[in-house]
Amino acid sequence: MDWFGGLKVLSLESRRSEEMATLIEKYGGQAMVAPSMREQKLDLTQPLAAFERDLRAGTVNALACMTGVGTRLFLRELAARDPALLELLKGVPLIARGSKPLQALKEFGLTGENVPRPHTWQEVMESLANRLERGQHAVILEYGEATPAAMMRELGYVGIRVTSVPVYRCAFPLDTTPLAQAVRDVVLGGPDVLLLSSGTQILHFLKYAEKMGLLDETRAALNRLVLVSIGPACSEAAADLGLRIDLEANPHKMGILVRTAAEHAPGIIAERTLRKTG
């Protein structure tokens, strides 16, 4: 199999950008990697104080852990504040959105309950709504972006009190040169395929395009590319931004993301070309 067969493949991966470039090239693609974000830790002094107060009072009825990064940061600072707080957390239902927050909980000696696939905020919301009674209190550890308004609204409808804790935010990279070049390349028709390993990546890409005054052109150009998502949560985020996802990795891992794109993207491009010329 020729896999990508020389197609230009854009990835917005940040933390594992070198690994992503290697995978793309392994499958015969021309790698174009532009880091789209960095994790910016926030000051947790006040949220931790409020959480400790509620935890000691027994008014935290569930803790929803949305990402591994956020869960790890939060628990590290909670333990530094008072190790006994981790013991108190053992009496609180801990809801994990997938394997990464579940693993982070285990690192601190805690046991979490993984929500059903596809591990989106909707499964977390349903788990909280099914578990908690009216008037009870859920704390949600945010994941780079604010907790979805729909999630807050639906939990409010069933009478659950929600505290959303912003542990970190996703900011633009310190060096935005590659990201700016990627926006220009997309507008000029350079890449053939776009790989997305998180919903925040495409959100930041469009935000930066807007900053450059190229949002409309970028949106139009993205319709030409084959867009490949790492999983349902990422696909959902892209759909919320009005973008069409052509392929979705299953299982939801980076290697499978690249392999899925390499296996199917050339055929999708060929079909589109045939429709245009036929």
Side-chain angles (χ1 to χ4, degrees):
M1 179 178 287
D2 201 19
W3 299 109
F4 280 123
L7 293 176
K8 294 178 181 178
V9 182
L10 173 62
S11 166
L12 304 175
E13 178 64 31
S14 299
R15 272 186 294 165
R16 302 170 68 184
S17 56
E18 292 184 7
E19 183 182 349
M20 179 63 87
T22 299
L23 280 168
I24 292 169
E25 290 166 0
K26 172 186 173 183
Y27 284 100
Q30 297 182 52
M32 305 168 69
V33 180
S36 57
M37 61 188 188
R38 61 186 168 90
E39 289 153 358
Q40 188 174 47
K41 183 178 173 297
L42 301 179
D43 183 2
L44 290 175
T45 305
Q46 291 185 357
L48 279 170
F51 184 81
E52 178 181 355
R53 181 195 65 228
D54 290 345
L55 184 61
R56 291 188 186 279
T59 57
V60 176
N61 303 114
L63 177 67
C65 305
M66 305 299 278
T67 66
V69 171
T71 302
R72 202 170 281 109
L73 283 172
F74 184 81
L75 294 178
R76 188 180 298 137
E77 295 216 8
L78 189 68
R81 191 178 181 89
D82 184 351
L85 295 172
L86 293 182
E87 286 300 313
L88 287 177
L89 260 186
K90 290 181 179 179
V92 175
L94 305 175
I95 310 301
R97 189 184 70 98
S99 60
K100 291 181 180 179
L102 198 65
Q103 179 58 40
L105 289 169
K106 288 179 181 178
E107 291 170 15
F108 287 84
L110 299 169
T111 302
E113 175 187 314
N114 203 352
V115 299
R117 291 182 182 276
H119 306 314
T120 69
W121 63 263
Q122 289 165 319
E123 283 73 43
V124 176
M125 179 187 70
E126 289 168 6
S127 178
L128 291 172
N130 291 334
R131 174 181 290 275
L132 300 184
E133 297 177 2
R134 193 171 191 86
Q136 288 192 310
H137 179 207
V139 176
I140 300 174
L141 302 182
E142 289 183 359
Y143 54 106
E145 303 294 333
T147 300
M151 182 178 185
M152 299 288 283
R153 185 172 60 250
E154 291 299 321
L155 289 173
Y157 283 159
V158 296
I160 295 172
R161 182 166 64 92
V162 179
T163 299
S164 192
V165 178
V167 182
Y168 69 97
R169 280 286 181 260
C170 291
F172 289 126
L174 292 175
D175 179 9
T176 57
T177 305
L179 185 59
Q181 186 59 53
V183 170
R184 294 189 196 96
D185 287 341
V186 166
V187 170
L188 294 173
D192 303 293
V193 180
L194 174 60
L195 304 180
L196 297 173
S197 45
S198 82
T200 308
Q201 290 175 0
I202 189 61
L203 175 63
H204 274 222
F205 189 71
L206 290 175
K207 280 184 176 179
Y208 205 79
E210 184 176 27
K211 187 176 180 179
M212 295 172 66
L214 294 171
L215 180 59
D216 291 342
E217 294 89 341
T218 301
R219 281 186 168 280
L222 285 171
N223 287 327
R224 182 188 63 82
L225 276 64
V226 176
L227 270 58
V228 190
S229 156
I230 199 165
C234 180
S235 299
E236 180 181 65
D240 287 345
L241 293 167
L243 299 175
R244 175 209 65 245
I245 292 295
D246 299 293
L247 297 166
E248 188 176 281
N250 189 16
H252 317 307
K253 299 182 182 296
M254 197 166 81
I256 302 300
L257 169 69
V258 180
R259 182 187 175 95
T260 299
E263 186 173 359
H264 298 288
I268 291 174
I269 292 172
E271 285 179 14
R272 290 178 182 173
T273 302
L274 185 61
R275 284 200 300 268
K276 286 180 182 178
T277 59

